[in-house]
Amino acid sequence: MDKSVVVKIGGSLIFTENGENGDINVDRIHQYAKVLSTLKDDGLNLCVVVGGGKAARDYIKVLHKFNATEAQSDLMGIRISRINALLLIAALGKIAYPCPPREIPELAKALTTDKIIVMGGLQPGQSTNAVAAVVAEYTRSDMLINATSVDGVYTDDPKKDPTAKKIDELDYDEFQELIIKKGSRAGEYPLFDLVALKIVSRSSILTKIINGSDPDNILRAAKGEEIGTTVRRR
Ligand code: UTP
């Protein structure tokens, strides 16, 4: 049977603070395209979900100033994540499906091709992690690789608590305990939101949270190397 993997690329990974090109990290996007192309050549079926990152946060901040609803702000985030997806689609060229599916039936159509599918958000009330989870479930993927800007899941926020330790492996209940305390406003969903957690848990989707600042980590995770944090049924 073909192996299928879903890769979620955190939006924070495709922006540089004070960089050129409107803060878009062109080199990084190019590197992701190379890594994804290598995985495709190795015979993997790939769906990629791109987050909203700095652009989404900037726009949502302005919407909050205008007293927009959370749903309005989420819809903005969804649009921006799709625009980010279009950047990666452009970098991938012909091996990518040309437009980001906006709903599951569009994904189903895209899956009838042999292309790498790249998408952003789907609906308000969740993050792109939930999109990645539902795509992994729908496609019966073998693994969900969540590329973030941190090395994995920590006992606490390592930026606030220097004694926080990285956790190598968790089951779904332990993961839920860690993320349940965090908020879930538009543009501020935690490392993994509860919608995403529910989906990976109910379908026992092997989930790896890795540092995507080094794009080769995606290759390592896909090949089964023990990097980052693995969430699985024990
Ligand atoms: P994310 O918060 O998933 O982006 O989506 P991200 O890139 O993973 O976040 P960082 O930057 O790496 O931390 C951006 C916003 O789009 C909306 C939410 O408001 C979310 O915060 N969104 C995204 C939805 O409402 N529904 C979706 O299906 C996806």
Side-chain angles (χ1 to χ4, degrees):
M1 199 177 69
D2 285 352
K3 200 174 164 195
S4 300
V5 170
V6 173
V7 181
K8 153 79 204 292
I9 297 178
S12 56
L13 291 167
I14 57 168
F15 290 89
T16 48
E17 298 298 329
N18 309 317
E20 288 176 10
N21 306 301
D23 289 346
I24 297 168
N25 194 334
V26 180
D27 290 343
R28 178 81 63 66
I29 296 171
H30 195 65
Q31 288 166 342
Y32 287 136
K34 264 171 63 184
V35 161
L36 293 166
S37 159
T38 303
L39 288 174
K40 182 84 188 151
D41 287 346
D42 288 349
L44 276 194
N45 296 317
L46 284 170
C47 289
V48 185
V49 180
V50 186
K54 182 177 182 298
R57 276 194 301 278
D58 286 349
Y59 274 84
I60 288 170
K61 224 186 285 167
V62 175
L63 287 190
H64 281 148
K65 286 198 174 121
F66 295 149
N67 204 22
T69 62
E70 288 298 293
Q72 261 179 300
S73 303
D74 277 343
L75 287 167
M76 179 69 86
I78 292 167
R79 291 281 178 101
I80 304 276
S81 60
R82 287 182 187 148
I83 289 171
N84 292 340
L86 285 170
L87 290 174
L88 183 57
I89 287 172
L92 284 163
K94 281 191 184 134
I95 59 172
Y97 190 74
C99 32
R102 293 164 301 179
E103 52 175 13
I104 298 301
E106 286 186 0
L107 171 68
K109 192 174 160 210
L111 285 166
T112 61
T113 70
D114 189 32
K115 305 282 186 185
I116 298 178
I117 300 166
V118 189
M119 57 198 287
L122 287 177
Q123 70 213 11
Q126 61 180 34
S127 75
T128 46
N129 287 317
V131 175
V134 86
V135 171
E137 183 177 68
Y138 187 80
T139 55
R140 295 183 190 279
S141 285
D142 302 275
M143 191 189 294
L144 165 54
I145 299 173
N146 194 304
T148 70
S149 52
V150 291
D151 287 335
V153 180
Y154 280 74
T155 49
D156 216 320
D157 184 346
K159 283 176 201 139
K160 291 182 190 146
D161 179 2
T163 65
K165 288 199 169 56
K166 184 170 85 69
I167 304 166
D168 292 336
E169 194 178 303
L170 286 162
D171 66 23
Y172 302 105
D173 292 339
E174 291 164 338
F175 194 27
Q176 176 164 341
E177 259 176 56
L178 276 173
I179 60 177
I180 211 152
K181 300 169 235 160
K182 315 257 162 123
S184 55
R185 295 186 75 206
E188 294 171 10
Y189 289 97
L191 190 59
F192 217 72
D193 64 282
L194 288 173
V195 183
L197 181 78
K198 183 185 166 190
I199 295 166
V200 294
S201 170
R202 74 181 181 183
S203 293
S204 300
I205 297 166
L206 177 71
T207 304
K208 288 195 179 192
I209 294 151
I210 60 155
N211 193 335
S213 313
D214 176 358
D216 284 342
N217 280 341
I218 295 174
L219 281 179
R220 296 185 183 106
K223 287 182 179 152
E225 273 185 42
E226 295 295 325
I227 57 165
T229 298
T230 302
V231 188
R232 59 155 59 101
R233 175 108 26 239
R234 286 214 191 95

